[in-house]
Amino acid sequence: MTTPLTCRNYIDGQWLSAVGGSTLESSNPACFTEIVATFPRSTADDVNLAVAAARQAYRSWRKVPAPARAEYVFRVGELLLQHKEELAQLMSREMGKPLTETRGDVQEGIDCAFYSAGEGRRLFGQTTPSEMPNKFAMTVRTPVGVCALITPWNFPIAIPCWKAMPALVCGNTVILKPAEDTPACATKLIEIFAAAGLPPGVINLVHGVGEEAGKALVEHPDVDLVSFTGSSETGAFVGATCGRTHKRVCLEMGGKNAQVVMEDADLELALDGAIWGAFGTTGQRCTATSRLILHHDIKEKFTAMLYERTSKLRLGAGTDPNTDIGPLVNANQLQRVNNYLDIAREEGAKVLIGGKIANEGALKNGYFFQPTILDNVTPDMRVAQEEIFGPVVALIEVNSFEDAIAVLNNTNYGLSSSVYTRDINRAFAAIRDIEAGITYINGPTIGAEVHLPFGGVKNTGNGHREAGTTALDVFTEWKSVYVDFSGHLQRAQIDNRTEQQ
Ligand code: ADP
């Protein structure tokens, strides 16, 4: 066992313990007796310090030319690349994903760094004609100010990068409040930002419990923007608080994503997609495939194929290269998934495979749950409607393409979606008719790339998109600029009219 890492807050360029001195621990979900890190249990006192530092730093950071700001972010990308393996190993120990996936998580941060850094030399506005003579009109992007970034544990490097990198390039200063389960990953990431030479106060880290440090940040009057990724319950609180206090807010919340498999689909391809989409990251992605909508004609055959493949998946620690599926992140998640299995049985779903906590042998000290297929699920059952966030996939049978799309859309969420078909007409009809922020054709519901918008409709979000150029719309305000070089007062809508009043 390795010695636990001692994590601290990073405020105004200094590594600090919590003002109150309390600490918490993170542990390895594959072996919960192993403590991975201790970290500060921050309170409003620490949040106040971080917000004051971010506000002070904002005064000069916003004036640093955007291409120069972007160079720091580029350097973060280079350092992430150098430390990729070390970060991936740490992440597997701290939140349980297999190494192939944790390497992907760090790579997403690297991709985001290089992509965001490029924006430093773009950040395009518009020029447009004025309706008046001798007058010039344009729009420019300006930073929002002090941004609070509240992040979950399932992508502990990628999601903070998605938020912090465009925020910094746009000229904002940031305070990261990472999830309680992944303080070590957040600390290592901020060490890299610090090593890239960012001036003190430009990026700050405040560890702690959501209802304490997170809440204090959201409620702080000197925070201008909150970017949140997490559960719908917490998102509702964050959104309401920001509404009350007039903060800009970007929410990325749950999903109940479906993959449709039509009767004309390449079934082997659809099977690869279903296994990866449903069981990748142990089903703990907001884009995970939690419903498989299967056309009647292939349902029996596809279910048999799925069963066979699922039965071969190996549970284990993420650090073991033979592992297909890691543990759930903590005891609460394990309990939650287990409760949903009770609900499924009560509702009349049939557990085809899995359905139980796995705690035999090498798995006994971990939060493992068997990969699970629920059959005979109807579209309105709770297990077809509510986010489970575990390795559980519900099979729903349909008789037509139209039914498939109706069932897919029959949810309060609208993040990701997927359709497997060889029919180009159906593919385009699906792209048009699916109510979701992301649609894959002949690919699984997971696998977003950093240069495309990420987010969803309905209860998944509040109309914003992360990543891509759309991240700039979250982290900047538009300013319309008029330059009048006529030398006299020109009244728009009045002085350029010929009719006399
Ligand atoms: P998850 O189910 O992914 O853990 P949460 O919404 O509980 O989702 O947590 C996501 C992030 O939100 C974490 O960083 C957590 O600490 C934070 N958080 C939880 N509750 C609050 C709250 N009341 N105010 C602000 N942040 C919170």
Side-chain angles (χ1 to χ4, degrees), residues 248-269:
R248 181 178 274 233
V249 61
C250 170
L251 304 173
E252 206 281 287
M253 299 169 289
K256 190 68 190 174
N257 317 290
Q259 174 182 321
V260 172
V261 184
M262 292 306 300
E263 78 282 11
D264 64 348
D266 176 336
L267 292 190
E268 286 295 339
L269 184 69

Side-chain angles (χ1 to χ4, degrees), residues 301-438:
K301 182 172 180 199
F302 191 76
T303 303
M305 290 163 72
L306 188 68
Y307 179 97
E308 151 82 12
R309 220 21 134 69
T310 304
S311 68
K312 296 204 174 106
L313 294 172
R314 293 158 303 186
L315 282 171
T319 45
D320 177 347
N322 294 318
T323 292
D324 297 309
I325 303 191
L328 290 161
V329 73
N330 57 35
N332 283 345
Q333 273 302 118
L334 187 66
Q335 196 50 51
R336 177 191 160 101
V337 174
N338 205 31
N339 289 347
Y340 269 109
L341 261 293
D342 291 341
I343 292 167
R345 291 185 189 100
E346 277 162 27
E347 287 186 308
K350 178 174 163 198
V351 180
L352 263 194
I353 188 168
K356 292 204 178 77
I357 290 174
N359 52 11
E360 313 263 292
L363 307 180
K364 73 174 187 308
N365 284 340
Y367 304 119
F368 293 96
F369 200 88
Q370 296 171 341
T372 299
I373 305 173
L374 301 177
D375 201 359
N376 299 347
V377 175
T378 55
D380 292 325
M381 284 182 183
R382 284 183 65 190
V383 288
Q385 288 292 329
E386 297 173 21
E387 191 174 39
I388 298 176
F389 232 56
V392 180
V393 66
L395 308 188
I396 304 175
E397 183 175 321
V398 290
N399 290 310
S400 68
F401 174 72
E402 290 69 27
D403 277 359
I405 299 302
V407 169
L408 186 149
N409 285 339
N410 176 30
T411 156
N412 290 329
Y413 294 109
L415 183 52
S416 189
S417 56
S418 148
V419 177
Y420 281 77
T421 178
R422 288 186 171 109
D423 181 336
I424 188 80
N425 297 346
R426 279 176 171 170
F428 274 88
I431 293 166
R432 182 192 60 200
D433 295 337
I434 287 175
E435 297 162 359
I438 307 169

Side-chain angles (χ1 to χ4, degrees), residues 230-298:
S231 63
S232 297
E233 296 76 33
T234 308
F237 162 79
V238 172
T241 307
C242 291
R244 240 189 5 259
T245 53
H246 304 300
K247 291 185 175 69
R248 181 178 274 233
V249 61
C250 170
L251 304 173
E252 206 281 287
M253 299 169 289
K256 190 68 190 174
N257 317 290
Q259 174 182 321
V260 172
V261 184
M262 292 306 300
E263 78 282 11
D264 64 348
D266 176 336
L267 292 190
E268 286 295 339
L269 184 69
L271 180 64
D272 286 343
I275 293 285
W276 176 229
F279 302 131
T281 322
T282 321
Q284 302 172 110
R285 293 193 188 208
C286 43
T287 52
T289 309
S290 56
R291 298 178 296 157
L292 271 173
I293 299 172
L294 306 176
H295 190 276
H296 168 79
D297 293 357
I298 51 88

